[in-house]
Amino acid sequence: NPVTIGSYGNGRATFRSDTTVGHPSVMTFYDTGGVTLQDVNVYGPGRQEGDYFHAIVFVDQAEDLAETVDRYRGITLARVDAGYASGAGLKFYSPKDSAGSPDLLGYGGITITDSVFHDNREAGVTFGHRLFGGYYPFTDVTIQRVRSHDNPGSDGLTNGHGFSIGGVDGGLIEHCISYSNGYENRNGLYGGASGFLFLDSNGLLIQNNESFNSFVAWDDPQYLDGHGFNLDRGTTNSILQYNYSHDNYGAGFAIIGTTPPDLSMPSLNSGNIVRFNVAENNGARHETGEIIVYGHVNNLLIHNNTVYARDYGTGRQSSTAFRTFERDNLSYSSVRVLNNVFQTGYDVPVML
């Protein structure tokens, strides 16, 4: 039967942990569906306390298919304030075993609304996963009117994202805001933070969101990332529309296909549409652009976007409005760029 955890009477209930010893998070849900968490605060002991201690975590750790005949379904978070953790404000994790067995079935029917995730070291909201044989551990994910901010990241790890959405088949992300994330991330050339990061996912609709002040801590302009919106490796058949990306260290919108850490995982970024978005004042920290296409990308349509790339008079200047890159001898193909508005200032090229 469904379980609801919330507040009673005046004010909001607060769940707080003053230690990271003996527990992975303030609130941990193992192998659980049918849960509603609403109108509560969930706070850790501080983002510098412990390693990967989360505010809220859902973990699928079933070891035998007999334990569950379907995904764990029906998880709702509404009007939740979660933060001050060394891990994520909210994390879903569905690990696959090394042999790629489908015993761990993941989650379906996840809804997150009207919530805020802040002051966490790893990320605001993250879906942690491993993919084997094209199996997506998360399905039917809805994230609406959620804010994620001041999640700084750390050295040597790909973290500091506002939203990190991976392993999802079928999702809606709308009316969300990410800002001031990743400012302590120092993970080198390709491992910085993004406001909205999507990878190894299929069939996403990402619309009416805003991302600004995504950082990386490196001063060297060769260090990329710090993007507003990042459709990264293995993202397929998804739509990025009506979003506003501005004042990010990296690109406003990045479409990236790279070599995955496990060769059984998809690297190709394919079948995506980027349309009706606005990008401005991005890419000034790095040698990048307002919109970039990078690596193993094909069948991409970019149309009817509005891009402002100009000299802002304070040492900030977009390197270009639109730019393409190759990586690991993987190049892009079947990329169409149609009916966009590119406005550039003095000495700022439209395309590279």
Side-chain angles (χ1 to χ4, degrees), residues 295-307:
H296 200 193
V297 176
N298 84 353
N299 193 21
L300 170 66
L301 176 59
I302 301 173
H303 73 91
N304 292 98
N305 300 283
T306 301
V307 173

Side-chain angles (χ1 to χ4, degrees), residues 244-259:
Y244 180 33
S245 186
H246 61 98
D247 298 285
N248 297 291
Y249 274 33
F253 298 94
I255 303 90
I256 298 174
T258 64
T259 303

Side-chain angles (χ1 to χ4, degrees), residues 79-83 114-118 145-149 179:
R79 301 174 300 280
V80 172
D81 184 320
D114 302 296
S115 298
V116 58
F117 302 92
H118 59 93
R145 301 177 302 278
V146 173
R147 287 181 293 134
S148 181
H149 66 88
Y179 62 93

Side-chain angles (χ1 to χ4, degrees), residues 31 123 155 178 236 290:
D31 302 327
D155 288 345
S178 171
T236 56
E290 295 286 346

